[in-house]
């Protein structure tokens, strides 16, 4: 049986009633269904949750509850939501590991995400969207008094998988098993990190109901015709199309999309993300394109942004939260390198000239790289120690440094591309000419 809004409208609903809930005044109407409906509800729970429909089994029978917000309450919540979507400070206490702390605007971001089942986190680059996503996991578990989120899927570009792994291990309060899908191996852990390109290869393993799905760099699914889009959000073949093209997509109780460019140059490209997050507000592409994209209708973009902020989006720019930002923030990006490039690095590292200083060099290099994400005084001390070892290694170390630069350039270029999408200008410091030419 196909479950859609037309099916829902055909059910025999009672007249709406007003009740007070833990989240404010709500309207609800009920519909008695057959006991066999329970299995149908469980199989389509993501759809029913999207439509604000719950199920309750009682001695009198099985009932569906359809919840809505009264008009006066909806107006108040809309104003409150739009205000919170630009909040530069938050007061909510969110657990973090000892020695770490969220900035005020990051707390506000977590607070916004907690208030809804689906969110578009659109902060500009460098404001810590990843940290806010992990903070949300910590906050949900803390509220529940247990590890409420037990299976989490993180979908991201391939070069960000290692970075997500490092940030999760750094910021998570509860202990989780973390698996990275790589080279044909699906690691069935509590938190699974997978690239967009790999989704189609693991439909069976991904075909569960996830507690939370995070789509990082969500503009990767802007193209509705792309395979990676269909693999994540699903695809319903149009009339006359081959039925085998049907994709169920990834099913989840909560959804979080993250991108630094929530309103792209081609406005229609945001529709796929909005439909994935809130198919009730944005059900079809055609009306969306007609209202916001067709010539002469660009003046309605302010209206679109206002609705997005009210329904799903929180976005702050650096100028909005400048008081929370330190003078300089260092971020370490972990890059995946091609095996052939790593072999070149290994050959240089194991040469006779390098062996003498290798142990000292590695210790100093690792300490120096880690210190980039720590306090300034730690960074300065590590930098001095690293430079001292570098001076002793002299020519051999520069040859190794050159090989490492060549190995990292492809991964670095992907980061620069994302930066270019979000920032008008930025500076790249490069030491070797051939590396500079590649960039």
């Amino acid at each position: 049986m196909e479950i859609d809004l037309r099916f829902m409208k055909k059910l025999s609903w009672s007249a709406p009633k007003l009740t007070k809930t833990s989240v404010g005044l709500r309207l609800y109407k009920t519909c008695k269904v057959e006991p066999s409906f329970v299995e149908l509800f469980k199989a389509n729970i993501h759809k029913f949750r999207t439509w604000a429909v719950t199920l309750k089994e009682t001695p009198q029978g099985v009932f569906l509850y359809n919840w809505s917000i009264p008009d006066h309450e909806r107006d108040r919540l809309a104003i409150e939501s739009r205000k919170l979507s630009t909040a530069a400070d938050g007061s909510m206490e969110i657990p973090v590991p000892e020695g770490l702390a969220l900035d005020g605007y990051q707390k506000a971001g977590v607070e916004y995400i907690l208030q809804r089942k689906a969110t578009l986190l659109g902060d500009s680059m460098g404001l810590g969207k990843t940290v806010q996503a992990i903070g949300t996991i910590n906050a949900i578990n803390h509220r529940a008094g247990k590890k409420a989120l037990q299976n989490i899927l993180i979908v991201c570009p391939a070069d960000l998988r290692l970075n997500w792994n490092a940030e999760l291990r750094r910021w998570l309060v509860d202990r989780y098993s973390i698996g990275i899908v790589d080279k044909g191996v699906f690691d069935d852990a509590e938190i699974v990190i997978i690239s967009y390109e790999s989704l189609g290869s693991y439909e069976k393993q991904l075909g569960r109901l996830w507690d939370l799905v995070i789509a990082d760099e969500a503009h990767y699914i802007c193209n509705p015709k792309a395979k990676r889009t269909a693999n994540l959000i699903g695809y319903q073949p149009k009339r006359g199309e081959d039925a085998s093209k049907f994709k169920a997509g990834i099913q989840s109780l909560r959804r979080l999309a993250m991108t630094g460019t929530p309103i792209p140059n081609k406005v229609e490209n945001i529709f796929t993300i909005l439909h994935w997050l809130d198919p009730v507000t944005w059900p079809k592409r055609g009306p969306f394109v007609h209202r916001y994209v067709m010539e002469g209708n660009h003046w309605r973009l302010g209206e679109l942004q206002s609705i997005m902020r009210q329904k799903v989006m929180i976005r702050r720019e650096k100028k909005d939260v400048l008081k929370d930002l330190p003078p300089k923030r260092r971020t370490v990006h972990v890059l995946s390198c091609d095996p052939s490039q790593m072999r070149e690095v290994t050959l240089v590292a194991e040469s006779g000239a390098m062996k003498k200083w290798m142990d000292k060099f590695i210790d100093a290099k690792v300490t120096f790289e880690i210190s980039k994400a720590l306090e300034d005084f730690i960074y300065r001390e590590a930098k001095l120690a690293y430079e001292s070892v570098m001076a002793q290694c002299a020519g051999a170390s520069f040859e190794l440094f050159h090989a490492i630069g060549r190995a990292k350039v492809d991964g670095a270029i992907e980061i620069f591309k994302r930066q270019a999408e979000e920032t008008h200008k930025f500076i790249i410091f490069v030491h070797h000419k051939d590396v500079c030419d590649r960039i």
Side-chain angles (χ1 to χ4, degrees):
M1 181 186 299
E2 184 178 353
I3 303 297
D4 55 20
L5 287 173
R6 286 174 295 182
F7 170 84
M8 295 296 295
K9 289 177 181 178
K10 290 178 182 178
L11 296 176
S12 300
W13 294 98
S14 67
K17 297 180 181 179
L18 187 66
T19 186
K20 187 175 182 180
T21 72
S22 60
V23 292
L25 292 174
R26 293 293 185 268
L27 288 168
Y28 73 94
K29 50 187 181 180
T30 61
C31 172
K32 189 173 183 180
V33 294
E34 296 296 325
S36 59
F37 196 89
V38 174
E39 291 304 316
L40 189 64
F41 181 88
K42 290 179 179 178
N44 294 272
I45 191 170
H46 62 286
K47 289 185 178 180
F48 286 108
R49 284 180 179 261
T50 299
W51 301 327
V53 174
T54 58
L55 180 141
K56 187 175 183 180
E57 297 179 73
T58 71
Q60 290 74 37
V62 180
F63 291 87
L64 292 179
Y65 284 72
N66 188 195
W67 299 89
S68 60
I69 304 174
D71 289 342
H72 67 280
E73 183 75 357
R74 181 179 287 109
D75 292 341
R76 182 188 69 80
L77 290 174
I79 294 171
E80 184 180 295
S81 184
R82 283 194 291 267
K83 183 178 179 181
L84 187 57
S85 76
T86 60
D89 196 16
S91 57
M92 176 180 287
E93 289 300 318
I94 300 164
V96 294
E98 188 176 353
L100 298 176
L102 294 174
D103 292 325
Y105 71 88
Q106 291 173 329
K107 292 180 180 179
V110 173
E111 187 174 352
Y112 184 94
I113 296 169
L114 289 175
Q115 292 181 3
R116 43 196 43 79
K117 296 294 184 181
T119 305
L120 173 57
L121 179 54
D123 287 348
S124 61
M125 195 176 210
L127 295 187
K129 293 188 287 292
T130 302
V131 172
Q132 291 177 69
I134 301 170
T136 300
I137 297 172
N138 290 337
I140 290 173
N141 290 340
H142 180 68
R143 272 186 172 186
K146 60 181 181 179
K147 198 160 71 173
L149 300 178
Q150 297 192 9
N151 57 347
I152 300 168
L153 180 67
I154 298 171
V155 189
C156 62
D159 63 294
L160 291 182
R161 290 172 301 170
L162 294 177
N163 187 65
W164 264 102
N165 181 48
E167 291 297 283
L168 285 164
R169 295 185 185 283
R170 184 183 182 205
W171 285 92
L172 280 174
V173 171
D174 293 299
R175 186 181 295 276
Y176 276 91
S177 60
I178 302 172
I180 301 177
V181 179
D182 189 26
K183 297 178 181 177
V185 178
F186 187 91
D187 192 337
D188 197 5
E190 293 171 297
I191 299 179
V192 175
I193 307 171
I194 189 170
S195 68
Y196 286 98
E197 290 73 18
S198 297
L199 288 173
S201 302
Y202 300 96
E203 290 187 31
K204 183 178 179 180
Q205 293 92 329
L206 296 170
R208 69 181 78 164
L209 181 63
W210 298 86
D211 292 327
L212 171 65
V213 170
I214 299 173
D216 192 9
E217 303 294 343
H219 50 270
Y220 271 56
I221 61 168
C222 281
N223 183 356
K225 297 179 181 179
K227 288 183 179 180
R228 62 189 178 200
T229 304
N231 289 329
L232 179 62
I233 74 171
Y235 181 75
Q236 182 68 44
K238 297 179 177 61
R239 185 177 298 175
E241 272 192 299
D242 188 346
S244 64
K245 290 185 177 181
F246 171 80
K247 294 278 188 180
I250 307 297
Q251 309 304 322
S252 62
L253 299 178
R254 283 181 174 270
R255 295 172 178 176
L256 174 60
M258 297 163 50
T259 176
T261 52
I263 302 288
N265 291 330
K266 291 186 177 181
V267 180
E268 61 268 32
N269 286 347
I270 192 63
F271 174 80
T272 308
I273 298 174
L274 296 178
H275 176 72
W276 182 59
L277 296 173
D278 188 350
V280 173
T281 302
W282 293 284
K284 295 184 178 181
R285 178 177 292 270
F288 179 90
V289 171
H290 184 271
R291 185 164 186 84
Y292 299 112
V293 181
M294 290 185 69
E295 188 174 352
N297 286 359
H298 292 289
W299 60 273
R300 288 189 172 133
L301 290 182
E303 170 192 293
L304 173 61
Q305 187 171 114
S306 178
I307 295 173
M308 287 171 62
R309 287 187 177 278
Q310 175 187 331
K311 295 289 186 177
V312 297
M313 184 180 77
I314 179 168
R315 173 169 171 78
R316 285 78 51 90
E317 297 184 33
K318 288 183 179 179
K319 61 181 177 61
D320 301 324
V321 296
L322 204 57
K323 62 183 179 64
D324 275 346
L325 295 179
K328 183 187 294 182
R329 173 168 284 173
R330 298 181 180 89
T331 304
V332 178
H333 291 273
V334 182
L335 303 177
S336 298
C337 297
D338 185 87
S340 62
Q341 296 169 327
M342 288 308 299
R343 279 195 293 272
E344 181 189 353
V345 174
T346 302
L347 285 172
V348 176
E350 292 180 350
S351 65
M354 250 341 275
K355 281 183 178 178
K356 180 179 178 181
W357 298 103
M358 180 53 70
D359 290 341
K360 288 184 177 180
F361 175 82
I362 290 178
D363 288 345
K365 178 68 174 174
V366 170
T367 303
F368 174 56
E369 292 296 338
I370 293 175
S371 73
K372 291 179 180 179
L374 304 177
E375 300 294 334
D376 276 352
F377 77 92
I378 299 176
Y379 169 76
R380 288 193 296 271
E381 289 181 1
K383 185 171 182 288
L384 287 172
Y386 174 60
E387 288 174 346
S388 175
V389 173
M390 285 284 286
Q392 297 174 63
C393 292
S397 64
F398 283 113
E399 187 179 348
L400 179 61
F401 193 39
H402 192 185
I404 292 172
R406 289 194 295 268
K408 292 194 296 185
V409 67
D410 289 337
I413 286 173
E414 292 303 313
I415 295 173
F416 300 152
K417 285 179 180 177
R418 287 195 292 273
Q419 180 74 53
E421 291 175 354
E422 301 186 23
T423 311
H424 294 297
K425 295 180 181 179
F426 60 97
I427 300 172
I428 302 171
F429 294 92
V430 186
H431 186 82
H432 300 96
K433 187 178 184 303
D434 56 345
V435 175
C436 184
D437 292 341
R438 284 287 306 282
I439 294 171

